[in-house]
Amino acid sequence: MNHFNLYNSLSKKKEIFKPITPGTVKMYVCGPTVYDLLHVGNFRGLIFFNVLRNWLKHLGYSVNYVYNYTDIDDKIIKKSKEENKLASEISSKFIKEFENDFKLLKISKASHNPKCTDYINDIISFISDLIEKKFAYVRNNNVFFSCKKFSAYGKLSGKNIEDLISGHRITINQDKENPIDFVLWKPSDHGEPGWESPWGRGRPGWHIECSVMANAILGDQIDIHGGGMDLIFPHHENEIAQSESKTGKNFAKYWVHNNFIKFDDQKMSKSIGNIIKARTFMADYNPEILKYMILSVHYRSPINFSIKQIQQSIISLIKIYSALEQAQNTIKGESNISNISYFKEELEIVQTSFNNDINTPIVFAQIFNVIRKFNNAFKNEKNENIAKEFLAFFSLVGSILSLFSEKPKKILFELNLILLKEKNISLKQIETEIKKRDKFRKEKNYKESDLIRDELLGKGIELNDTIDGTQWSVKL
């Protein structure tokens, strides 16, 4: 098998993946700040890094995967004041809400889901080390990291310290020695959550928590650090600075970043009002559609969510599950099979594509090549062995993508129901017309029954008479 190549944001190129310790992968991905329901953009990284973890495990690696919760933050405190609740109540509530949404995706949990507030003592110890090593300083109960003391600052983002200092976007804080220095510890205002420290009662800055949790759980050096592209600067740049200043070692070997999601070619923003919660999307459509849409585009490319793209994804999933249903209905006994020879060429391309920086669009192209090959083979005669190989192919690829494991009949009904709503036709209307048609057919009034069938077909609804009764579907 070819080497696994992964794009490294640090080197700006694809590299052959070689973990620090052979056979073991330590991966840390920045998780959500838990003060609200998460939007679909937050779920892109979650869905992609699940696939990356699954592929690494498929290659035989043992993967220790950390996905954290930021459970103390200005946004959480602001929300707690607005709702007159403890910050811990807000964060606990939205961790539970996130985990409810997560379950809908039917993907495996991370090895660890640490919370910042569980690591306060480790954070204080970490900051103390940075102060002792002269990489951090104390001013008015604040602790700041001195960026100029870390000579490699900017190596991930490509930003130059002098340019940052002269830039107009940096707010000057009189306590800082340098405007680009960032806070490691800040004092808590009266009534705000805080912890006792050598520098007074306060709480950690945002950047320090990930360095500390990664260090505490995975050690001084990790193989993969991931997150959205928006985290490259300043968050991940600052993580590198504080982690490497403390340990004197390279923090992460590979930096992996997923791109953004747009809606109708516009970046999601509160001002535009196009932020869609993942829960809302999954309720209106289906978790399978969300996963399919996100993975149909390469993780380093932007995704454009639009009604057209959603409908195309639904149609694609209907084609896939229709073929899966046909294959399942063909098999009389056990469907287990170890050899996939009929689809060997397509499977090899799939494996090469996963090895090429998790190139899921090519994987999806091969999925439809397999479906075409399967449908062509079944035009004249149903072949049980080909059906078994077809199911084995989808079992293998689906286990990596965390897709295609739904019961075909159930999800096909749900997907068709969504398309039905898009056509502004109610299920009750169709069921009423089918009952009328059934009555005409029993009376052998085929002229009227055919008229109903043709009228429904004109509206984009196909009828299929089976031994289990008349089935309907939206014409693709």
Side-chain angles (χ1 to χ4, degrees):
M1 186 179 287
N2 295 330
H3 290 296
F4 174 38
N5 291 279
L6 187 63
Y7 185 86
N8 191 345
S9 299
L10 187 62
S11 64
K12 311 294 188 291
K13 64 182 181 182
K14 292 179 192 176
E15 299 178 12
I16 295 174
F17 181 76
K18 292 180 181 177
I20 298 163
T21 303
T24 302
V25 177
K26 294 182 285 186
M27 182 166 79
Y28 186 99
V29 176
C30 290
T33 301
V34 283
Y35 69 99
D36 201 351
L37 297 175
L38 300 188
H39 57 71
V40 292
N42 298 126
F43 274 65
R44 184 174 191 184
L46 188 73
I47 289 167
F48 163 70
F49 284 104
N50 168 66
V51 174
L52 176 57
R53 181 260 311 271
N54 291 348
W55 181 245
L56 288 166
K57 290 181 76 172
H58 175 78
L59 293 177
Y61 292 108
S62 171
V63 183
N64 196 356
Y65 172 27
V66 179
Y67 184 82
N68 78 291
Y69 296 130
T70 295
D71 65 337
I72 185 66
D73 177 87
D74 291 343
K75 292 174 183 176
I76 296 170
I77 293 170
K78 182 175 181 287
K79 186 111 174 184
S80 73
K81 290 176 180 177
E82 290 170 353
E83 298 190 8
N84 196 27
K85 293 179 179 176
L86 295 173
S88 57
E89 289 181 86
I90 298 296
S91 60
S92 294
K93 173 188 174 181
F94 286 107
I95 286 172
K96 287 178 184 175
E97 296 291 359
F98 165 77
E99 289 178 347
N100 288 336
D101 292 343
F102 179 86
K103 285 175 187 173
L104 296 174
L105 292 171
K106 297 181 181 178
I107 63 180
S108 300
K109 290 188 71 174
S111 314
H112 309 272
N113 291 119
K115 297 184 293 184
C116 174
T117 57
D118 289 337
Y119 288 81
I120 297 297
N121 288 337
D122 296 277
I123 289 170
I124 291 170
S125 176
F126 197 109
I127 294 172
S128 297
D129 281 354
L130 288 173
I131 294 171
E132 187 178 336
K133 293 178 179 181
K134 311 296 183 187
F135 285 104
Y137 57 93
V138 183
R139 292 286 188 280
N140 292 329
N141 303 114
N142 289 281
V143 184
F144 296 102
F145 183 88
S146 178
C147 292
K148 274 200 163 185
K149 294 283 182 69
F150 182 66
S151 60
Y153 193 82
K155 68 177 180 178
L156 178 66
S157 63
K159 295 183 183 294
N160 181 280
I161 281 189
E162 299 306 322
D163 291 341
L164 288 169
I165 291 172
S166 61
H168 298 293
R169 289 185 293 174
I170 296 172
T171 303
I172 302 296
N173 183 319
Q174 298 302 321
D175 290 327
K176 292 182 180 181
E177 291 179 354
N178 198 302
I180 64 166
D181 294 348
F182 58 90
V183 68
L184 300 172
W185 188 267
K186 61 171 82 172
S188 296
D189 292 337
H190 180 71
E192 292 183 349
W195 293 263
E196 295 304 322
S197 79
W199 324 289
R201 187 175 178 277
R203 57 190 173 89
W206 174 37
H207 311 299
I208 191 68
E209 65 177 83
C210 288
S211 284
V212 171
M213 287 187 281
N215 184 271
I217 299 168
L218 301 175
D220 290 349
Q221 295 181 290
I222 63 176
D223 298 293
I224 297 171
H225 197 313
M229 287 180 70
D230 55 320
L231 298 180
I232 292 175
F233 186 86
H235 186 52
H236 287 168
E237 194 71 74
N238 291 349
E239 277 192 65
I240 290 173
Q242 61 204 10
S243 294
E244 297 187 4
S245 294
K246 180 185 184 297
T247 66
K249 303 172 186 176
N250 287 329
F251 175 38
K253 191 172 181 182
Y254 303 90
W255 288 86
V256 181
H257 295 93
N258 60 274
N259 213 316
F260 303 115
I261 290 178
K262 296 180 179 180
F263 280 94
D264 292 321
D265 294 316
Q266 291 182 305
K267 186 178 176 181
M268 285 193 297
S269 74
K270 288 183 180 178
S271 59
I272 297 174
N274 65 348
I275 291 180
I276 297 179
K277 305 296 185 188
R279 179 176 297 183
T280 303
F281 185 94
M282 289 189 284
D284 289 346
Y285 298 102
N286 188 288
E288 195 85 346
I289 296 169
L290 180 62
K291 289 186 288 185
Y292 184 93
M293 289 188 73
I294 284 174
L295 296 176
S296 64
V297 177
H298 191 264
Y299 76 94
R300 288 192 288 115
S301 298
I303 299 177
N304 186 41
F305 271 35
S306 67
I307 294 299
K308 184 179 179 182
Q309 265 86 19
I310 292 169
Q311 288 176 338
Q312 286 174 344
S313 296
I314 294 169
I315 290 167
S316 295
L317 282 166
I318 287 174
K319 288 178 181 176
I320 291 168
Y321 274 103
S322 295
L324 286 170
E325 184 177 42
Q326 186 180 13
Q328 287 180 5
N329 291 340
T330 302
I331 297 167
K332 297 180 179 67
E334 291 292 322
S335 62
N336 294 334
I337 193 167
S338 58
N339 184 34
I340 304 177
S341 57
Y342 193 76
F343 305 106
K344 182 182 177 184
E345 182 182 342
E346 291 81 6
L347 182 58
E348 286 176 352
I349 296 173
V350 163
Q351 291 170 329
T352 300
S353 302
F354 276 124
N355 272 330
N356 183 19
D357 195 32
I358 312 294
N359 197 333
T360 50
I362 302 298
V363 171
F364 278 74
Q366 291 310 306
I367 282 170
F368 286 101
N369 284 342
V370 165
I371 289 172
R372 277 190 289 273
K373 199 169 178 179
F374 171 78
N375 288 337
N376 287 334
F378 270 59
K379 275 181 181 176
N380 300 317
E381 182 184 1
K382 290 180 171 59
N383 186 306
E384 191 169 352
N385 282 333
I386 290 176
K388 286 181 178 179
E389 287 195 31
F390 182 80
L391 292 175
F393 173 89
F394 272 90
S395 176
L396 174 60
V397 178
S399 69
I400 296 160
L401 297 171
S402 294
L403 279 169
F404 317 133
S405 63
E406 301 295 320
K407 291 182 179 177
K409 188 173 183 179
K410 179 177 181 291
I411 193 165
L412 283 169
F413 176 77
E414 292 172 0
L415 293 171
N416 275 289
L417 205 57
I418 295 167
L419 291 179
L420 203 64
K421 289 176 183 175
E422 300 286 335
K423 288 179 175 289
N424 205 24
I425 302 171
S426 73
L427 179 60
K428 189 175 181 181
Q429 283 176 272
I430 294 176
E431 289 174 339
T432 300
E433 292 302 304
I434 288 174
K435 282 180 182 177
K436 277 197 220 172
R437 181 172 175 269
D438 286 344
K439 183 175 178 292
F440 284 130
R441 291 180 74 208
K442 283 177 184 176
E443 295 169 354
K444 297 187 177 179
N445 186 345
Y446 298 117
K447 182 181 177 182
E448 291 296 331
S449 70
D450 287 349
L451 186 62
I452 290 172
R453 183 197 62 205
D454 293 342
E455 284 178 352
L456 285 172
L457 190 60
K459 294 176 182 178
I461 309 301
E462 286 184 308
L463 299 183
N464 181 31
D465 297 315
T466 72
I467 57 172
D468 296 322
T470 303
Q471 307 292 323
W472 66 270
S473 62
V474 178
K475 190 169 185 256
L476 303 179

